[in-house]
C-alpha cells in the first residue's frame, strides 16, 4: 500500500514507484489526493478525500492564510485524508505500507495489520541530522542545534491527535496500538549528487536517488516542439505555487530573458505565473504545463520555485537553475543548488525583479558545464530500483 498526500510533486514519485513495483509482479494500491494532475492510468488508485489543488487555488500558499482557514478547509481536509488512509489500507490488507510523512495514520493502521511501515521522504524533514537544520523550519545552519529543529515535524502529530484518534476508531478494537512502532525503513528519494548522505543517519535510512520513470517522458505537443527548436530559450515554472501577482512575475521573467537574448517557455502551473497581453510575441510561449523531461534538455536554464521534484528534474536534464523560493523546503534546495555550483544564490519571490533576475540568469548560465556533469550522474541513478530492493528485502 502506497499512501501519499500533497501537491503533484508528492504524487508523481509514488505513482512511479507503483508502476515499477507492479511491473515486477507486486500487487500495489496507491492512495492519493484528488485532482493531483498526475497520470495514474493503469494503476490501482484510490482517493484519500482531499484536494490540495483546491486548497492552494482558494487560499494560496501563505502559512498565515492556512492558519486562518484551518477550521473551514485545512483541518477538515486533513481529517478526511487521515480517515481515508485507514479505511483504504484496511480494505487492501497489504504486506507493507509505504507512506508520505503527511499521512500520520499510516503507522497505526500498519501496526494494526501486523505489517511493517516504511516512511518515504522527498525532503528530509523528519529524519534528523546534525549536518543541516530541518528544511522549511530554519533557513540557516544552527550547528549542534540542528537536530533540535526536527522536533517541529512531530508537532503535526500533536496538532492532529484528535483527528488521528477518530480515524483509528475504524481499527480492530476501535483504537490504534500505542505507541506506534518506528518505521522499519526510511526511503529518502533524493539524489546523493544533490544531497550527500549525512554521516549520522542510521542504517535504516536509505538514500535511494529520486523516483523517476524514464519511460514516462512524454512528447510535447507540436507547438511546444516547434518552439523549443526555434533558438535559445529558458523554461519558467513555479509549479503549484500561487501567491502575489502572477502577471508581474511573468513580465519580470520574460523581460529578463529578453535581456539575455533568450525566448521564454512560460509554464503557468497552478497560477504562479501569467503572461501579460502586451508581452505576447513569437519569443514567448505560455501554457499551463508541458512535460519537463522533454523541454528542459535543450534549455539554457530553468527559473523555478525549488520544489524537490522540480529540482531533481532540472538537475537530471543537466540544466542550471535560478531558484525563486516561496515556502517550506524551497529555500533549502535553493541554497543547496547554489552550494553545489548549479545555481546562483536563490531569489525570494518577493524580491523577484529585473534588477535581481537579470544578473541571476547570467550567473546561472555560467554554471552550465557543472550542471551538465551533474546531470549525467543523476541520469545514471535508479532510485526506483533501489527503493524496491529495500522494500522486497524487509
Amino acid at each position: 500500500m502506497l499512501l501519499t498526500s500533497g501537491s503533484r510533486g508528492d504524487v508523481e514519485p509514488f505513482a512511479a514507484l507503483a508502476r515499477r513495483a507492479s511491473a515486477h509482479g507486486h500487487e500495489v494500491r496507491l492512495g492519493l489526493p484528488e485532482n493531483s494532475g498526475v497520470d495514474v492510468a493503469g494503476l490501482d488508485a484510490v482517493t484519500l478525500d482531499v484536494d490540495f489543488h483546491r486548497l492552494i487555488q482558494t487560499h494560496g500558499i501563505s502559512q498565515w492564510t492556512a492558519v486562518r482557514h484551518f477550521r473551514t478547509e485545512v483541518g477538515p481536509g486533513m481529517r478526511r485524508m487521515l480517515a481515508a488512509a485507514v479505511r483504504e489500507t484496511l480494505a487492501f490488507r497489504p504486506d507493507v505500507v509505504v507512506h508520505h510523512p503527511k499521512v500520520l495514520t499510516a503507522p497505526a493502521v500498519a501496526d494494526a495489520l501486523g505489517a511493517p511501515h516504511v516512511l518515504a521522504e522527498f525532503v528530509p524533514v523528519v529524519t534528523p541530522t546534525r549536518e543541516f537544520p530541518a528544511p522549511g523550519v530554519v533557513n540557516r545552519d544552527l550547528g549542534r542545534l540542528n537536530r533540535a529543529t526536527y522536533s517541529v515535524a512531530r508537532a503535526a502529530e500533536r496538532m492532529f491527535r484528535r483527528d488521528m484518534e477518530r480515524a483509528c476508531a475504524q481499527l480492530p478494537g476501535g483504537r490504534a496500538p500505542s505507541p506506534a512502532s518506528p518505521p522499519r525503513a526510511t526511503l529518502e528519494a533524493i539524489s546523493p549528487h544533490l544531497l550527500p548522505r549525512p554521516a549520522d543517519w542510521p542504517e535504516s535510512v536509505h538514500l535511494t536517488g529520486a523516483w523517476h520513470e524514464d519511460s514516462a517522458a512524454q512528447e510535447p505537443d507540436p507547438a511546444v516542439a516547434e518552439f523549443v527548436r526555434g533558438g535559445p530559450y529558458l523554461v519558467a515554472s513555479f509549479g503549484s505555487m500561487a501567491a502575489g501577482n502572477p502577471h508581474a512575475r511573468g513580465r519580470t521573467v520574460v523581460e529578463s530573458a529578453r535581456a539575455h537574448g533568450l525566448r521564454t517557455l512560460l509554464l503557468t502551473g497552478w497560477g504562479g505565473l501569467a503572461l501579460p497581453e502586451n508581452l505576447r510575441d513569437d519569443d514567448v510561449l505560455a501554457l499551463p504545463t508541458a512535460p519537463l523531461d522533454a523541454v528542459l534538455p535543450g534549455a539554457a536554464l530553468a527559473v523555478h520555485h525549488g520544489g524537490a521534484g522540480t529540482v531533481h528534474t532540472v538537475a537530471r536534464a543537466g540544466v542550471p537553475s535560478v531558484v525563486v523560493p516561496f515556502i517550506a523546503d524551497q529555500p533549502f534546495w535553493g541554497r543547496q543548488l547554489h552550494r553545489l555550483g548549479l545555481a546562483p544564490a536563490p531569489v525570494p519571490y518577493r524580491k523577484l525583479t529585473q534588477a535581481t533576475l537579470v544578473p541571476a540568469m547570467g550567473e546561472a548560465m555560467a554554471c552550465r558545464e557543472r550542471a551538465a556533469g551533474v546531470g549525467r550522474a543523476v541520469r545514471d541513478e535508479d532510485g526506483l530500483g533501489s527503493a524496491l530492493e529495500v522494500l522486497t528485502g524487509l
Side-chain angles (χ1 to χ4, degrees), residues 6-13 36-39 218 240 270 289:
S7 63
R8 182 170 188 153
D10 299 293
V11 177
E12 277 186 333
S36 68
V38 176
D39 179 14
Q218 302 169 254
S240 60
W270 286 8
T289 188

Side-chain angles (χ1 to χ4, degrees), residues 78-163:
M78 281 292 290
R79 190 174 305 128
R80 293 192 303 272
M81 183 269 290
L82 296 174
V86 173
R87 180 186 70 239
E88 298 297 343
T89 305
L90 286 175
F92 191 52
R93 303 192 67 82
D95 299 305
V96 181
V97 176
V98 184
H99 66 97
H100 189 285
K102 286 190 182 80
V103 188
L104 299 170
T105 47
V109 67
D111 285 351
L113 292 172
H117 64 96
V118 174
L119 177 67
E121 293 191 278
F122 309 125
V123 185
V125 295
V126 176
T127 305
T129 177
R130 289 185 294 273
E131 295 188 16
F132 48 81
V137 175
V138 177
N139 287 330
R140 63 187 181 90
D141 195 307
L142 299 180
R144 61 186 179 86
L145 298 178
N146 281 340
R147 288 185 70 92
T149 63
Y150 291 83
S151 63
V152 174
R154 293 194 290 273
E157 293 191 27
R158 295 191 293 272
M159 181 183 299
F160 294 104
R161 182 170 295 162
R162 289 186 179 179
D163 296 323

Side-chain angles (χ1 to χ4, degrees), residues 30-349:
L30 173 64
L32 74 165
E34 300 170 355
N35 300 320
S36 68
V38 176
D39 179 14
V40 294
L43 295 177
D44 179 2
V46 292
T47 179
L48 296 186
D49 295 347
V50 62
D51 185 344
F52 281 87
H53 187 179
R54 179 177 180 276
L55 292 181
I56 291 173
Q57 279 195 323
T58 305
H59 304 307
I61 62 164
S62 164
Q63 292 172 324
W64 295 113
T65 302
V67 169
R68 287 199 299 272
H69 293 279
F70 185 87
R71 288 189 176 183
T72 58
E73 295 284 352
V74 180
M78 281 292 290
R79 190 174 305 128
R80 293 192 303 272
M81 183 269 290
L82 296 174
V86 173
R87 180 186 70 239
E88 298 297 343
T89 305
L90 286 175
F92 191 52
R93 303 192 67 82
D95 299 305
V96 181
V97 176
V98 184
H99 66 97
H100 189 285
K102 286 190 182 80
V103 188
L104 299 170
T105 47
V109 67
D111 285 351
L113 292 172
H117 64 96
V118 174
L119 177 67
E121 293 191 278
F122 309 125
V123 185
V125 295
V126 176
T127 305
T129 177
R130 289 185 294 273
E131 295 188 16
F132 48 81
V137 175
V138 177
N139 287 330
R140 63 187 181 90
D141 195 307
L142 299 180
R144 61 186 179 86
L145 298 178
N146 281 340
R147 288 185 70 92
T149 63
Y150 291 83
S151 63
V152 174
R154 293 194 290 273
E157 293 191 27
R158 295 191 293 272
M159 181 183 299
F160 294 104
R161 182 170 295 162
R162 289 186 179 179
D163 296 323
M164 293 168 65
E165 290 172 351
R166 291 192 190 101
C168 289
Q170 305 170 74
L171 297 176
R175 58 185 300 178
S178 182
S181 66
R184 183 73 61 86
T186 296
L187 303 176
E188 299 286 350
I190 300 168
S191 170
H193 296 285
L194 298 185
L195 185 69
R197 179 188 173 89
D200 57 349
W201 275 358
E203 290 184 4
S204 61
V205 178
H206 303 267
L207 189 62
T208 65
W211 298 353
H212 169 71
E213 292 179 279
D214 290 330
S215 61
Q218 302 169 254
E219 287 296 320
D221 67 40
V224 177
E226 182 179 359
F227 182 84
V228 300
R229 290 194 299 264
Y233 66 96
L234 64 80
V235 177
S237 170
F238 292 151
S240 60
M241 297 297 100
N245 187 334
H247 286 86
R249 281 198 295 274
R251 177 179 298 279
T252 296
V253 171
V254 170
E255 292 183 343
S256 298
R258 287 172 175 169
H260 285 284
L262 296 173
R263 297 172 309 124
T264 303
L265 179 58
L266 196 75
L267 306 180
T268 57
W270 286 8
L273 286 168
L275 179 64
E277 284 297 324
N278 65 347
L279 289 184
R280 292 186 180 277
D281 209 334
D282 292 343
D283 68 339
V284 183
L285 179 62
L287 62 163
T289 188
L292 289 179
D293 285 323
V295 300
L296 277 170
L301 64 107
V303 180
H304 60 91
H305 57 301
T310 304
V311 162
H312 280 82
T313 303
V314 173
R316 188 168 52 250
V319 174
S321 294
V322 176
V323 178
V324 182
F326 286 67
I327 197 172
D329 61 302
Q330 296 161 14
F332 169 82
W333 289 115
R335 294 192 306 274
Q336 187 65 13
L337 293 185
H338 179 48
R339 189 177 299 118
L340 294 170
L342 302 174
V347 181
Y349 82 95

Side-chain angles (χ1 to χ4, degrees), residues 252 255-257 259-260 353-363:
T252 296
E255 292 183 343
S256 298
H260 285 284
T353 64
Q354 278 188 261
T356 57
L357 188 55
V358 169
M361 286 181 177
E363 289 183 52

